[in-house]
């Protein structure tokens, strides 16, 4: 069997690293990676080729390949994107646009759809007030699409661009013999937590930062209020969702963009979990007005009934299983191997 050619952008990020490892373990893929950074040592044997650099300026290079699937993960996350907004737009929108154009061109040329996976986010939502957020509870995909952040606006717009290139590009769908269009699929992720990597530049980062700090015996000042609630997910579930959505036959899908969900908890519930698990945990709450404002605009919980109905989505890790079967065992193993707490970083 010939292997599928895949491109993973943002391969050095948290989702990227986990995805490279999973696809390599699954087998049957020729993985090409790209990122601003060199590939971490642990991934070097898994990628057939790594193209280091800014894809917006080097897009021509990618036309030499025939990718079956593009996982476009590269992005500037929500907190960072508020500090360098125009740069974030360039990375988040221009990069996506360039790759969509490439995938559209290749789909037509080879008469076979290139699958294009795009990770969207809870940041695509936006509530005017905290009271609206609390009253709304679980939100569906088409509700409250009024992001407050550059990152959220970029994600929502790129979802629309994906729908455009996949269905209506140049109004070619109206031709008597429409050409083959790309196959765009997207997931709106909640905050993601990996036991092996830390996020950087996001606003849901307080969850993973707090847990990793407590595991290392470091004090942590949480940058949001203790009652702040959004939904979270274990990284293995995020990867499972990506691989399931990409594999499912197109006819089973009723839309391009799906919510998925695992568990929703407050920053204080994170603190309690950390305290129960790690002796001497020291967590304080020192909210930053800007970052608090961002999470206050994000939903408490997501309605993922469409993903469940259309492609059988369900998470493996609810809150208890996340801690008991994923995060804490990984921490115990890590400490057993690395007695020096400092080497954890
Ligand atoms: N985790 C992302 C962030 O905080 C949201 O998708 O920016």
């Amino acid at each position: 069997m010939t292997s599928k050619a895949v491109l993973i952008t943002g391969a050095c990020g948290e989702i990227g690293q986990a995805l490279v490892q999973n696809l390599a373990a699954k087998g049957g893929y020729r993985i090409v990676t790209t990122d601003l950074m060199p590939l971490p040592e642990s991934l070097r044997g898994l990628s057939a080729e790594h193209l280091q650099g800014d894809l917006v300026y080097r897009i021509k290079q990618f036309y030499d390949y025939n990718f079956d699937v593009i996982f476009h993960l590269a992005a500037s996350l929500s907190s960072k994107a508020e500090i360098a907004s125009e740069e974030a737009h360039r990375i988040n929108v221009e990069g996506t646009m360039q790759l969509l154009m490439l995938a559209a061109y290749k789909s037509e040329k080879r008469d076979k759809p290139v699958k294009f996976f795009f990770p969207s986010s809870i940041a695509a939502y936006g509530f005017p007030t905290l009271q609206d957020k609390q009253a709304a509870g679980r939100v569906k995909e088409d509700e409250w699409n009024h992001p407050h952040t550059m990152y959220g606006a970029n994600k929502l717009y790129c979802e629309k661009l994906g729908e455009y290139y996949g269905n209506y590009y140049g109004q070619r769908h109206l031709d008597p013999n429409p050409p083959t269009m790309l196959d765009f699929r997207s997931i709106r992720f909640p905050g993601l937590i990996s036991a092996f990597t830390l996020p950087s530049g996001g606003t849901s980062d307080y969850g993973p930062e707090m847990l990793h700090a407590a595991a290392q015996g470091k004090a942590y000042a949480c940058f949001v209020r203790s009652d702040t609630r959004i939904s979270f997910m274990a990284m293995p579930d995020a990867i499972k969702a990506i691989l399931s959505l990409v594999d499912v036959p197109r006819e089973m899908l009723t839309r391009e963009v799906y919510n998925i969900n695992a568990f929703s908890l407050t920053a204080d519930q994170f603190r309690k979990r950390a305290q129960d698990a790690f002796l001497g945990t020291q967590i304080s709450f020192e909210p930053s007005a800007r970052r608090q404002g961002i999470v206050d605009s994000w939903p408490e919980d997501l309605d993922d009934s469409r993903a469940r109905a259309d492609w059988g989505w369900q998470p493996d890790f609810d809150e208890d299983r996340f801690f008991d079967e994923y995060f804490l065992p990984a921490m115990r193993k890590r400490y057993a191997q690395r007695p020096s707490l400092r080497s954890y970083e």
Side-chain angles (χ1 to χ4, degrees):
M1 203 181 84
T2 54
S3 57
K4 277 192 185 150
V6 308
L7 172 66
I8 302 178
T9 75
C12 300
E14 281 204 291
I15 305 179
Q17 292 194 38
L19 185 62
V20 171
Q21 282 164 345
N22 272 265
L23 285 179
K26 236 177 122 189
Y29 298 93
R30 183 178 191 276
I31 305 170
V32 175
T33 50
T34 180
D35 201 287
L36 290 174
M37 307 296 289
L39 216 51
E41 192 63 47
S42 56
L43 299 188
R44 293 214 181 129
L46 309 181
S47 162
E49 203 178 336
H50 183 64
L51 306 168
Q52 192 185 337
D54 190 327
L55 87 95
V56 175
Y57 298 125
R58 307 176 60 172
I59 191 70
K60 276 194 184 147
Q61 212 178 343
F62 295 90
Y63 277 78
D64 294 339
Y65 298 80
N66 269 311
F67 296 116
D68 298 298
V69 191
I70 294 174
F71 297 94
H72 178 39
L73 312 178
S76 171
L77 295 188
S78 58
S79 287
K80 190 171 170 203
E82 292 307 301
I83 295 164
S85 313
E86 290 73 25
E87 170 70 356
H89 185 279
R90 192 185 65 76
I91 295 168
N92 295 347
V93 177
E94 273 304 303
T96 307
M97 173 86 180
Q98 293 291 346
L99 279 177
L100 283 168
M101 287 166 65
L102 178 148
Y105 170 79
K106 293 281 183 179
S107 299
E108 185 168 345
K109 188 154 178 267
R110 65 183 202 154
D111 196 18
K112 191 174 162 208
V114 174
K115 284 187 184 171
F116 195 108
F117 176 79
F118 179 70
S120 192
S121 158
I122 46 171
Y125 296 102
F127 292 97
T129 67
L130 183 57
Q131 290 69 34
D132 290 315
K133 162 176 168 147
Q134 288 164 342
R138 306 189 110 199
V139 297
K140 288 192 176 22
E141 285 86 348
D142 297 324
E143 298 170 339
W144 302 99
N145 293 161
H146 302 286
H148 293 198
T149 59
M150 173 56 89
Y151 172 78
N154 295 163
K155 286 292 183 192
L156 189 59
Y157 176 54
C158 288
E159 292 176 4
K160 303 293 172 209
L161 281 179
E163 291 175 15
Y164 169 73
Y165 278 102
N167 298 309
Y168 311 114
Y169 180 33
Q171 304 307 305
R172 291 163 165 80
H173 62 296
L174 300 173
D175 291 354
N177 291 308
T180 302
M181 306 264 194
L182 65 86
D183 181 352
F184 180 80
R185 305 177 182 201
S186 177
I187 288 173
R188 286 198 188 142
F189 287 109
L192 299 180
I193 309 179
S194 166
F196 304 100
T197 52
L198 267 167
S200 77
T203 317
S204 59
D205 296 9
Y206 64 88
E209 280 177 3
M210 187 189 294
L211 295 181
H212 281 269
Q216 295 168 79
K218 287 186 184 166
Y220 183 71
C222 179
F223 58 78
V224 296
R225 287 186 319 268
S226 59
D227 65 339
T228 303
R229 177 189 287 277
I230 57 170
S231 71
F232 284 91
M233 175 175 287
M235 187 60 80
D237 269 338
I239 302 299
K240 177 175 112 160
I242 295 173
L243 298 179
S244 319
L245 179 61
V246 162
D247 277 350
V248 84
R250 181 81 220 178
E251 319 72 85
M252 290 174 69
L253 303 180
T254 56
R255 51 189 301 123
E256 276 82 5
V257 180
Y258 288 89
N259 280 348
I260 60 167
N261 195 19
F263 53 89
S264 168
L265 76 179
T266 63
D268 200 45
Q269 287 170 318
F270 267 113
R271 181 184 61 83
K272 290 203 178 93
R273 287 282 188 171
Q275 263 176 345
D276 290 347
F278 307 110
L279 282 176
T281 290
Q282 288 179 59
I283 289 159
S284 56
F285 291 94
E286 297 174 20
S288 126
R290 290 184 183 187
R291 297 181 99 183
Q292 183 71 58
I294 294 174
V295 270
D296 283 348
S297 76
W298 290 352
E300 286 195 351
D301 212 347
L302 298 168
D303 181 331
D304 61 0
S305 50
R306 284 166 173 150
R308 287 175 187 257
D310 286 4
W311 44 282
W313 156 251
Q314 69 176 66
D316 289 334
F317 299 98
D318 61 12
E319 184 185 331
D320 284 338
R321 292 194 66 197
F322 167 79
F323 285 100
D324 299 341
E325 295 175 32
Y326 174 64
F327 193 78
L328 299 180
M331 292 302 115
R332 283 183 204 114
K333 205 165 155 195
R334 189 165 211 159
Y335 283 120
Q337 285 167 349
R338 296 188 189 181
S340 154
L341 297 185
R342 288 189 191 287
S343 68
Y344 179 87
E345 289 172 355

